[in-house]
Amino acid sequence: EAKSMPGNSYFAYRSELSERVRDRQSIEVALLDAVANGQLFLQYQPQVDLATNKIIGAESLVRWRHPELGFVRPDRFISVAEDSGMIIEIGRWVLLQSCMDAAKSSAGGRIAVNVSAVQFEYGDVLGDIDYALKETGLDPSRLDIEITESVFVSKQDKTIGILDSIIERGVGIALDDFGTGYSSLSYLSKLPVNKIKIDQAFVRNLPEDQQSMAIINAVVSLSKHMDKKVVAEGIETEEQARLLHRAGCHIGQGYLFGRPLDRKEFCYLLTSYNAPQQKDAV
Ligand code: C2E
Ligand code: MG
Ligand code: MG
Ligand code: MG
């Protein structure tokens, strides 16, 4: 019972909490000049066409190496950057850098960029996208913006208006981490998105987990009716890739195809991975 909670566990809780607050504060302070000091960099994780097994593009994932804190994982600093509003500046940098790298790549291919709900609510996402496209000359049809269901939580009409404008420019919208939020399947039809990314939570326990498989099948069949492509993330085994392809997922992403890589490593992977196989040459 809560009332009889021993005092020391309360203090343990308090000190753990304040440690976490201090942790977040030091991250926030350190993050302040991370962009200006060039501590952020991007890695690229391949996205593969499950039918042809060719790499068709990449998702850009932000990385932060601080001189004292060392390597800080995005799940530790993205939420701090969101709460402090710094994600707006970071997100603008990520967009520009991602488009620049994609435009430089001779192989072509798509680039998917994560954009936070905070950028939609308080930033100028459309302005940032237009700036990145104009500055780099990247063909808009090669860019995907990854959003999560959280962008629809507040100012829904405004968000939908922005998404419509993004799509008008020829840029794609992918709904990331699908299945972990609150929206119902029928709600999907109202959202201006071209791709659904099934969250890795549903892929992780395949092939054993029948419930995950049932959810994936439902998402695929609905997406087909709504003319949306389905991406599966977190694919780690050949068997998962086969299952998801058979279920009707178009695109796959995960350690099986490649971990997030520095730009140079990614370019190298792209060339070797997509080189014609012996059997294609016949
Ligand atoms: P996300 O957008 O869903 O990205 C996928 C995450 O899953 C990445 O973690 C990736 O490394 C990881 N992953 C990919 N394949 C596998 C796999 O086969 N197995 C497992 N276990 N994991 C896999 P990462 O890079 O740590 O990023 C975590 C989250 O941080 C991202 O989730 C995204 O929400 C956020 N994030 C990363 N970069 C950015 C960014 O530039 N802007 C914003 N707003 N958020 C970002
Ligand atoms: Mg993503
Ligand atoms: Mg995801
Ligand atoms: Mg995620």
Side-chain angles (χ1 to χ4, degrees), residues 42-43 45 59-63 71 73-78 82 87 90-91 93-95 98 113-117 119 146 148 176-177 197 199-200 203-204 233-237 240 253-260:
L42 297 178
Q43 284 193 323
Q45 185 176 35
E59 175 176 8
S60 84
L61 295 157
V62 70
R63 301 291 180 246
F71 186 82
R73 294 176 49 85
D75 39 338
R76 272 183 76 208
F77 74 84
I78 293 289
E82 286 176 334
I87 193 69
I90 292 172
W93 177 83
V94 168
L95 255 169
S98 303
V113 180
N114 292 287
V115 173
S116 159
Q119 292 172 263
E146 292 198 0
T148 56
D176 204 353
D177 302 342
K197 283 188 91 170
D199 192 73
Q200 30 184 299
V203 174
R204 194 175 298 137
E233 40 178 0
I235 301 178
E236 296 186 353
T237 69
Q240 289 171 342
Q253 187 180 338
Y255 295 166
L256 171 68
F257 310 110
R259 294 196 173 241

Side-chain angles (χ1 to χ4, degrees), residues 34-199:
V35 175
N37 291 348
Q39 294 165 4
L40 298 183
F41 61 101
L42 297 178
Q43 284 193 323
Y44 294 98
Q45 185 176 35
Q47 295 190 331
V48 169
D49 181 329
L50 290 174
T52 63
N53 209 35
K54 301 275 186 217
I55 297 175
I56 53 162
E59 175 176 8
S60 84
L61 295 157
V62 70
R63 301 291 180 246
W64 180 27
R65 198 179 289 111
H66 184 267
E68 277 108 50
L69 298 173
F71 186 82
V72 189
R73 294 176 49 85
D75 39 338
R76 272 183 76 208
F77 74 84
I78 293 289
S79 71
V80 175
E82 286 176 334
D83 292 348
S84 62
M86 278 187 278
I87 193 69
I88 291 172
E89 188 194 347
I90 292 172
R92 194 181 296 133
W93 177 83
V94 168
L95 255 169
L96 183 63
Q97 191 62 47
S98 303
C99 291
M100 206 182 292
D101 286 345
K104 269 195 298 201
S105 150
S106 54
R110 310 186 61 84
I111 181 72
V113 180
N114 292 287
V115 173
S116 159
V118 174
Q119 292 172 263
F120 275 88
E121 191 163 357
Y122 300 102
D124 176 16
V125 177
L126 206 52
D128 293 346
I129 292 172
D130 284 341
Y131 178 77
L133 291 173
K134 185 169 141 270
E135 205 56 25
T136 63
L138 183 75
D139 182 339
S141 69
R142 291 177 57 196
L143 178 63
D144 278 325
I145 299 298
E146 292 198 0
I147 58 169
T148 56
E149 291 161 79
S150 57
V151 301
F152 301 108
V153 168
S154 67
K155 299 189 188 154
Q156 194 176 323
D157 293 343
K158 180 191 160 200
T159 301
I160 289 179
I162 299 172
L163 293 176
D164 283 333
S165 305
I166 294 174
I167 290 175
E168 258 167 46
R169 283 154 171 74
V171 174
I173 303 289
L175 190 55
D176 204 353
D177 302 342
F178 187 75
T180 60
Y182 297 99
S183 45
S184 68
L185 283 178
S186 63
Y187 181 65
L188 258 184
S189 63
K190 298 197 178 67
L191 306 179
V193 305
N194 319 98
K195 279 182 186 160
I196 312 286
K197 283 188 91 170
I198 295 177
D199 192 73

Side-chain angles (χ1 to χ4, degrees), residues 49-52 235 239-250:
D49 181 329
L50 290 174
T52 63
I235 301 178
E239 191 174 11
Q240 289 171 342
R242 257 197 313 275
L243 263 174
L244 290 160
H245 177 228
R246 225 183 304 143
C249 293
H250 308 91

